[in-house]
Amino acid sequence: MTSTDRPFLYHGCTFTCSAVQTATNLFTPHVRYEHGLPGLEQMALPVDTAPYLSADEALRHAEQQAVRWVHDRTGDGQGRF
């Protein structure tokens, strides 16, 4: 298994977004919150989708999940992309 990691910054929050290759050559998006909101520790966000055909697609999903997560915690609801 291989993983493609890249930092992602959104509204002052830092994340690590990853596309982890599965045994069947698909890519699962993973998001790790690093810091940015008061009182919250580092944490992995739950995997919320099936694997994608490409690492790029999985990374895009991970970034979108991070954006939604920030909006859910800052009162913006669904937010904007």
Side-chain angles (χ1 to χ4, degrees):
M1 268 197 271
T2 62
S3 175
T4 303
D5 297 342
R6 78 172 163 212
F8 179 69
L9 180 64
Y10 184 75
H11 281 258
C13 294
T14 302
F15 298 88
T16 300
C17 294
S18 305
V20 179
Q21 189 172 13
T22 68
T24 57
N25 292 321
L26 298 174
F27 295 87
T28 303
H30 290 269
V31 182
R32 179 164 179 81
Y33 166 75
E34 302 296 344
H35 58 84
L37 295 177
L40 287 178
E41 304 269 331
Q42 291 182 345
M43 70 178 86
L45 278 57
V47 174
D48 69 348
T49 188
Y52 285 89
L53 293 175
S54 75
D56 286 340
E57 289 174 307
L59 286 168
R60 274 192 297 277
H61 179 92
E63 290 174 354
Q64 290 173 348
Q65 183 182 7
V67 167
R68 287 190 305 271
W69 186 90
V70 169
H71 286 286
D72 287 347
R73 276 142 194 85
T74 59
D76 289 344
Q78 288 295 315
R80 52 198 179 277
F81 289 95

